[in-house]
Amino acid sequence: MAARNASKGPEHPRLEDVELVTLLSALAEPTRLRIVCMLAEPVGERAWKDIDLPIAQSTLSHHLKILRNAGLVQNRTEGTRCFVSLRTQEVEARFPGLLETVLSCRDH
Amino acid sequence: MAARNASKGPEHPRLEDVELVTLLSALAEPTRLRIVCMLAEPVGERAWKDIDLPIAQSTLSHHLKILRNAGLVQNRTEGTRCFVSLRTQEVEARFPGLLETVLSCRDH
DNA sequence: TTCGATGATCGACGATCATCGAACATTGAC
DNA sequence: GTCAATGTTCGATGATCGTCGATCATCGAA
């Protein structure tokens, strides 16, 4: 009854409103860190269905929501499909060097 | 009654055995991040009692244990007193740039 | 040896989290 | 309009977490 999101896709916070602890919490979970690493590959944008992990679809949606709320990823809807990508530049502007450093640590 | 730790202080893991997610989890909590920032100040080592935060003593002990298990801090016992410090160099060797970057992000 | 101080550990509690299946909403195709 | 596909949301579940007070173990001092 109340007006829903007029916009289609899920909401994306401004990076200025994201706290460091929120971003670290989002990264501090194996599945989510793995997703972020996937998205960091040169491929860039990734179709939802291409993120195949041994988890239920609703769980993946849950993790992506947390990553969205942390400002790390963004969704782009195209018809019924959905594409996910890192907000690399915005994260870099807010937390300089952080994402790159974490990813490089992950790769060893 | 079973043989406890023969050594005096608590255990400190080798940084090689610490996973990135463990370290991120340790940092992804406001109180602990604050402690790490305190310890990063040029003062260096810090007496336990000088870490005064609005939390119970057992809670502080709990957080310090998590930071220890993540390889971030170390304890040095001197009589009944206990001093805490960052394992800056070892963390740097294991996760290059990570601690420094997180701390610089925290300061803005 | 006894005592006080200092941290670590224990047990309990409420809250949050990761996970799942089911139901729902939206969109394109028929 | 009906249907299938896609991703989100809901409800429930165990597990983990942050917090506390109480207890314990260790050490120096009296």
Side-chain angles (χ1 to χ4, degrees):
Chain A
M1 45 184 60
R4 304 291 176 74
N5 314 345
S7 61
K8 13 200 63 181
E11 303 164 14
H12 297 99
R14 297 181 309 169
L15 262 295
E16 296 82 42
D17 299 332
V18 175
E19 295 201 24
L20 176 57
V21 167
T22 305
L23 189 137
L24 291 175
S25 300
L27 293 174
E29 204 276 339
T31 302
R32 288 196 292 265
L33 186 55
R34 200 168 156 189
I35 294 173
V36 170
C37 289
M38 277 186 184
L39 296 175
E41 289 169 10
V43 184
E45 199 176 50
R46 238 186 156 83
W48 217 93
K49 278 292 176 182
D50 288 351
I51 308 175
D52 64 324
L53 295 170
I55 57 178
Q57 182 221 24
S58 56
T59 304
L60 174 57
S61 183
H62 165 69
H63 283 310
L64 287 175
K65 182 176 187 179
I66 291 180
L67 291 173
R68 274 199 310 269
N69 290 341
L72 276 164
V73 310
Q74 58 192 350
N75 276 17
R76 184 176 65 83
T77 299
E78 188 172 293
T80 60
R81 304 272 173 77
C82 174
F83 297 86
V84 188
S85 58
L86 279 181
R87 299 174 66 181
T88 311
Q89 296 192 12
E90 295 164 273
V91 174
E92 171 67 18
R94 175 76 172 93
F95 302 112
L98 186 51
L99 188 51
E100 187 183 6
T101 304
V102 169
L103 290 172
S104 73
C105 287
R106 157 92 180 187
D107 307 332
H108 297 260
Chain B
M1 43 187 57
R4 303 293 175 70
N5 313 344
S7 61
K8 14 199 61 180
E11 303 163 15
H12 297 99
R14 297 181 309 169
L15 262 296
E16 295 83 41
D17 298 333
V18 175
E19 295 201 25
L20 176 57
V21 167
T22 304
L23 190 136
L24 291 175
S25 300
L27 293 174
E29 203 276 340
T31 302
R32 288 196 292 266
L33 186 55
R34 200 168 155 190
I35 293 173
V36 170
C37 290
M38 277 186 185
L39 296 175
E41 289 169 9
V43 185
E45 199 176 48
R46 238 186 156 85
W48 217 93
K49 278 292 178 181
D50 288 351
I51 308 175
D52 64 326
L53 295 171
I55 56 178
Q57 177 249 358
S58 56
T59 304
L60 175 56
S61 184
H62 167 70
H63 283 311
L64 287 175
K65 182 177 185 177
I66 291 180
L67 291 173
R68 274 199 310 269
N69 290 339
L72 276 165
V73 310
Q74 58 192 350
N75 277 16
R76 184 177 64 84
T77 299
E78 188 172 293
T80 61
R81 303 273 173 74
C82 173
F83 296 87
V84 188
S85 57
L86 280 181
R87 298 175 66 182
T88 311
Q89 296 192 11
E90 295 164 272
V91 175
E92 171 67 19
R94 175 75 172 94
F95 301 112
L98 185 52
L99 187 51
E100 187 183 7
T101 304
V102 170
L103 290 172
S104 73
C105 287
R106 157 91 180 189
D107 309 330
H108 295 260

